[in-house]
Amino acid sequence: MTEISYASIARKKKLKRGLLLATLVTAAAIFTATTFTDTEKSAALTKPNKANTLSISGPWEISSLDPSKQGYILTRMQVIETLLNVNEQGMITPGLASKWQRSDDGLNWQFTLRDGVSFHDDTPLNADAVVRSLTHAQRKHGTLNKAQIIKISAISSHVVEIELAQPYAAFAALLTNYSNAILSPLSYKADGSVSALYGSGPYQMASFSPPHKLTVQKFPHYWGDKAQISFATYLTGHRAESRILQAKSGEADIVFTLEPSMLTQLQGSNEVKIHSNLIPRTMFVKVNAGHPLLSDVQVRTALSLALDRAAIAKNVLNAPGSEAAQLMPSSMSQWFVEGVNNTPFNLEKSQQILASLGWERNESGLLERDGQAFKLTMITYADRPELTTVATAIQAQWAKLGVELKVDVTNSSMIPAGHSDGSLEMALIARNFGFSADPLPIMSTDFAHGGGDWGTMNWTNTAVDNAIDELLTSDNATRSLALSQSIAKAIYDDKPVLPISSYSQHTSVNKRVNNFKFDPFERNYFINKMYFDQAGNQ
């Protein structure tokens, strides 16, 4: 394991690039050679301990400091920030940009930066730094390249201009995504890779021990609400059993993504409080619509009717009422179709449909047609433990229909790999439609023109393709609503994916933590808003 320690890096202005990077390895030498104030020396010598450190646990590994890869942890831990933010209602709000505007034709966007913002290496936020970060982000895997950007330029020290080849209605939403965070120029190597992370958030990196742990320390010169807790750690807890033990023992102050079936272990506890919050994430079965057994919409409809979603929500997810037969939750009203039955379970009708298509049960009870048995493989991943248990429930429910389903629990990377090489038959996934304020960028990637890694596969619908293309350039609210509704209805009718449930995020918070706040878009842990009893704030 490689650990990078930031604890002794000097916050001295105008340090040369080579000297600054050298501090990652020779921190002690820099500490000796640099003049510090007494306050800076005290901060540098402070060590994380139980009293001054907020410990956070979640299921996700972090193996990179590059925002394009795992920036979701880095924004949540408040190390890096974006030009624009999202509030609880999904509205775009100022971030590092205090204001923004676009031209009437939608091709030119200007962003005015905040005054008085410094990166963690004490260099100032300016337009050149923003241009550098966004240019690097544009070349990497992320959301920015969804728009056709012609040029990103600094037109003054605090104004950035971005020119598009064609209008992109959701462009502001793209800039709320973690992959487009703004870093100090000294964070990058010449090739654009991130060698040391210097963001602008209320916390700065203290140490990085991939893939399981990172520690952040409060940044005293933050431009906004300054942190009260000195340190915070993020620790990967892969197994749901491990995370529930961390919550029960007090090893972790905040534990995210608790498995619903385990929540009873914390009921009645005087040490922790459970927060259950709805999030714009949907669990669904990704279907290879080009597969010989799945290409007929009637077959997909039969499989959907054989899913007892209400039973899964109540008995497996411990979240009655979360069952869903359409893609988006009601909180995303533009994409939510009123009147859709979220519990369409009808095993008899499902059996009738398949019988009409020539499927008959053989001696072992398995459906068979023309000598071919109805057998499928569905893969899922263990990062979200509820997926495995739900996959097992689906396996049992479809067995009653006469379908043999093999469940393969593997790495999440196998889903895009199977999509790419065509080997994927089905996958059970949990897709977050709240990566940005507007789900349109995700919809355009996942569901248009043949689909994407985490959306449809071998499914084409010309009306949906045309509607999404129009949405990407439309700024007419009435027309956009009609288009969004038509897309959602087409996906519901054609069933290229089979929604199972909407998500609630279950989080345990230790009683010593005050002012916990949950972000439904999962962009921010709001650590700087929290505090301990007086003894814990050092």
Side-chain angles (χ1 to χ4, degrees), residues 304-322:
S304 179
L305 287 170
L307 291 170
D308 191 346
R309 295 170 172 85
I312 290 174
K314 179 181 178 181
N315 302 323
V316 179
L317 296 175
N318 196 30
S322 67

Side-chain angles (χ1 to χ4, degrees), residues 28-101:
I30 296 298
F31 186 88
T32 303
T34 307
T35 300
F36 288 85
T37 65
D38 290 341
T39 300
E40 288 173 325
K41 286 180 179 178
S42 176
L45 293 172
T46 301
K47 300 284 188 179
N49 56 59
K50 180 67 175 178
N52 66 11
T53 303
L54 178 77
S55 57
I56 297 173
S57 175
W60 310 281
E61 287 189 350
I62 177 165
S63 57
S64 173
L65 293 175
D66 193 322
S68 69
K69 297 178 180 178
Q70 288 160 324
Y72 54 88
I73 293 295
L74 302 171
T75 54
R76 294 174 191 183
M77 295 298 290
Q78 297 189 294
V79 177
I80 59 178
E81 299 180 301
T82 50
L83 286 179
L84 303 176
N85 290 326
V86 185
N87 66 16
E88 293 179 4
Q89 290 73 44
M91 303 296 293
I92 297 176
T93 60
L96 291 178
S98 57
K99 59 182 179 179
W100 64 98
Q101 61 184 21

Side-chain angles (χ1 to χ4, degrees), residues 13 353 495:
K13 293 182 178 181
I353 291 173
K495 295 179 172 49

Side-chain angles (χ1 to χ4, degrees), residues 101-111 151 153 155 160-167 171:
Q101 61 184 21
R102 71 171 185 174
S103 59
D104 292 339
D105 60 9
L107 298 178
N108 185 286
W109 293 71
Q110 288 191 1
F111 302 87
K151 187 178 181 181
S153 56
I155 61 175
V160 174
E161 182 177 80
I162 302 178
E163 299 177 49
L164 305 182
Q166 63 181 37
F171 185 64

Side-chain angles (χ1 to χ4, degrees), residues 111-388:
F111 302 87
T112 301
L113 306 181
R114 291 184 184 274
D115 291 322
V117 177
S118 295
F119 292 110
H120 300 149
D121 60 3
D122 214 23
T123 59
L125 171 71
N126 56 32
D128 289 336
V130 172
V131 170
R132 183 187 295 263
S133 285
L134 294 183
T135 299
H136 287 318
Q138 189 183 6
R139 295 169 181 161
K140 300 175 182 179
H141 179 74
T143 64
L144 199 59
N145 53 26
K146 294 182 184 296
Q148 297 182 29
I149 297 175
I150 296 175
K151 187 178 181 181
I152 306 173
S153 56
I155 61 175
S156 72
S157 64
H158 272 64
V159 178
V160 174
E161 182 177 80
I162 302 178
E163 299 177 49
L164 305 182
Q166 63 181 37
Y168 192 91
F171 185 64
L174 296 184
L175 295 175
T176 68
N177 187 263
Y178 57 80
S179 62
N180 304 317
I182 309 303
L183 309 183
S184 162
L186 290 176
S187 298
Y188 299 100
K189 293 182 180 179
D191 62 1
S193 61
V194 176
S195 58
L197 190 71
Y198 302 109
S200 59
Y203 282 89
Q204 59 187 320
M205 292 294 295
S207 66
F208 178 50
S209 305
H212 300 300
K213 186 177 181 179
L214 65 83
T215 302
V216 297
Q217 182 176 8
K218 67 180 179 182
F219 180 51
H221 303 287
Y222 181 55
W223 59 269
D225 294 335
K226 292 178 172 54
Q228 300 182 58
I229 298 175
S230 296
F231 294 91
T233 62
Y234 174 83
L235 180 65
T236 301
H238 291 294
R239 296 175 59 83
E241 296 85 354
S242 299
R243 294 198 302 280
I244 202 78
L245 286 174
Q246 289 174 328
K248 291 170 68 175
S249 67
E251 178 186 353
D253 294 307
I254 301 175
V255 181
F256 287 98
T257 318
L258 291 171
E259 187 171 345
S261 63
M262 296 183 178
L263 295 180
T264 55
Q265 297 184 41
L266 297 175
Q267 289 178 355
S269 171
N270 294 323
E271 299 300 317
V272 301
K273 180 180 180 180
I274 300 299
H275 296 255
S276 296
N277 303 90
L278 290 174
I279 59 176
R281 182 187 296 275
T282 304
M283 182 189 300
F284 60 82
V285 178
K286 172 186 172 75
V287 175
N288 180 354
H291 189 280
L293 297 182
L294 302 169
S295 59
D296 191 333
V297 65
Q298 294 185 77
V299 172
R300 300 195 296 270
T301 299
L303 291 174
S304 179
L305 287 170
L307 291 170
D308 191 346
R309 295 170 172 85
I312 290 174
K314 179 181 178 181
N315 302 323
V316 179
L317 296 175
N318 196 30
S322 67
E323 58 269 15
Q326 62 173 303
L327 194 62
M328 296 285 185
S330 58
S331 59
M332 291 190 163
S333 57
Q334 182 163 326
W335 297 86
F336 181 78
V337 182
E338 295 288 348
V340 165
N341 181 9
N342 277 327
T343 56
F345 176 58
N346 191 327
L347 185 60
E348 182 179 355
K349 185 175 180 180
S350 175
Q351 292 169 333
Q352 291 172 353
I353 291 173
L354 292 179
S356 71
L357 296 174
W359 290 97
E360 299 179 351
R361 287 183 181 266
N362 59 22
E363 294 180 353
S364 62
L366 186 64
L367 287 175
E368 191 175 281
R369 184 178 66 180
D370 299 330
Q372 180 183 18
F374 204 134
K375 296 182 178 181
L376 293 166
T377 297
M378 181 168 70
I379 67 174
T380 192
Y381 46 97
D383 291 3
R384 293 189 172 275
E386 67 278 3
L387 293 178
T388 302

